[in-house]
Amino acid sequence: MKNKKLRNFFILGCCSVVAVVAVGLLINFEIIDAYTAQILTLAGINAIMALSVNIICGITGQLSLGQAGFMAIGAYSSVLIANAGIPLPLSIVLAGLVTAFFGFLIGFPTLKLEGDYLAIVTLGFGEIIRVVFVNLKKWTGGPNGKQFPTIMTLNPAVAYIVIIGVLVVLVILIQNFIRSTYGRAILAVRDDEIAANSSGIGIFRYKMIGFVIASFVAGIGGALYAPFIGFIKPDMASFNKSIDYLIFVVLGGMGSTTGAILASFVLTSLQEFLRFLQNYRLLFYPVILMLVMQFRPQGLLGTKEFSFIKTWDGIPGLKAKMKSFLGKKSVKQGGAE
């Protein structure tokens, strides 16, 4: 059991290092150009937002159309906190907590609603946030937005490593949360509220937990967006942005963390690579969505998750070599003792 845990940790650690550090080095040495690095980094932010939508829609089972509003709260909060002299990493975390607090305030009265009613209320919340930021011209710059000092764009490699690193950490935390007692209770509420309630699971409580966590993740996404882009405006809380993030989750598969991340990177990259088509490229989103709904309504991955460990085990010869390596290490440790 100890060797198995060590092996799994080794595999996941290597994959994370390759995804974050190795690609960051390629960007630093300009093997990957700055334009491609910016697309990958922006896709990482979109993936964080897709994780937020997936938590509330795919895992908790509630339809929310206001996640872009939480992203805007996180973005403006991080800038205001950073301007107060607080270091950027701490300001990003604090912005996530501020957004989670607003998620609690919004979720407390609205999560008693279900289905279309909840979607309408969250849609209204996003529009309220946008209108409020439009009128707070002193802090937000009004409808034209406001430019803030940007830090991450000074070095594309640093921006990539920070944002993709945060994405990896969030994925690990979310996956562990889903496997916990709280996560399994939330899944039970999603699958059948009546059965969950009869089993003693507090439906409203666990809906609230999922909603607050989703708000926190959206706030982190907005807090990373602000220093990366260096310019934010109230339109980032618009209904269209919330729909974009929902499309990522629907395309990847409701409830699939891997699917949401994969769809985020594919659609973000596709939108940039088709920029030569000008506004016609915007037609690809609805076309792709219609095709998916027609031929694979459960999304690309459904509720399945990609596993590096199972993939590693499926490669011939590597599993035996790993067992041999761990066996030799155990023998050496035993001899040393």
Side-chain angles (χ1 to χ4, degrees), residues 271-334:
Q271 188 176 12
E272 291 297 325
F273 293 145
L274 295 178
R275 191 171 287 276
F276 66 94
L277 296 176
Q278 299 180 0
N279 290 335
Y280 291 103
R281 64 192 170 90
L282 300 178
L283 296 175
F284 279 86
Y285 269 25
V287 170
I288 291 174
L289 189 61
M290 286 189 295
L291 292 175
V292 170
M293 290 296 97
Q294 181 67 30
F295 298 103
R296 191 170 175 81
Q298 69 271 32
L300 296 178
L301 296 182
T303 57
K304 297 180 181 178
E305 299 287 357
F306 176 80
S307 174
F308 287 107
I309 296 172
K310 291 182 179 179
T311 303
W312 181 280
D313 291 341
I315 300 177
L318 287 180
K319 187 175 181 180
K321 291 181 180 179
M322 179 61 72
K323 285 184 176 180
S324 176
F325 171 77
L326 293 175
K328 290 179 180 179
K329 189 171 182 181
S330 298
V331 170
K332 289 181 179 180
Q333 289 178 349

Side-chain angles (χ1 to χ4, degrees), residues 84-98:
I86 297 177
L88 182 61
L90 183 57
S91 67
I92 291 174
V93 176
L94 291 176
L97 294 176
V98 170

Side-chain angles (χ1 to χ4, degrees), residues 148-282:
F148 299 98
T150 177
I151 298 175
M152 295 185 182
T153 51
L154 297 177
N155 191 329
V158 173
Y160 175 86
I161 291 175
V162 169
I163 291 176
I164 302 301
V166 171
L167 174 62
V168 170
V169 172
L170 288 175
V171 169
I172 294 173
L173 293 176
I174 290 171
Q175 289 301 108
N176 281 278
F177 173 77
I178 293 174
R179 296 187 182 97
S180 69
T181 304
Y182 289 93
R184 296 186 185 278
I186 291 175
L187 293 176
V189 172
R190 179 197 66 181
D191 294 337
D192 193 328
E193 290 188 8
I194 297 176
N197 190 34
S198 63
S199 300
I201 297 175
I203 295 176
F204 177 77
R205 176 190 178 189
Y206 286 100
K207 283 183 179 180
M208 178 64 74
I209 292 174
F211 196 82
V212 170
I213 292 176
S215 303
F216 174 80
V217 175
I220 294 294
L224 291 171
Y225 181 88
F228 171 66
I229 299 297
F231 178 82
I232 51 179
K233 57 189 302 186
D235 281 348
M236 67 185 300
S238 66
F239 170 70
N240 291 334
K241 297 297 292 183
S242 294
I243 292 299
D244 287 343
Y245 302 135
L246 182 61
I247 289 175
F248 296 152
V249 177
V250 172
L251 178 62
M254 284 282 192
S256 173
T257 302
T258 309
I261 294 173
L262 178 63
S264 301
F265 276 88
V266 170
L267 291 182
T268 303
S269 302
L270 184 64
Q271 188 176 12
E272 291 297 325
F273 293 145
L274 295 178
R275 191 171 287 276
F276 66 94
L277 296 176
Q278 299 180 0
N279 290 335
Y280 291 103
R281 64 192 170 90
L282 300 178

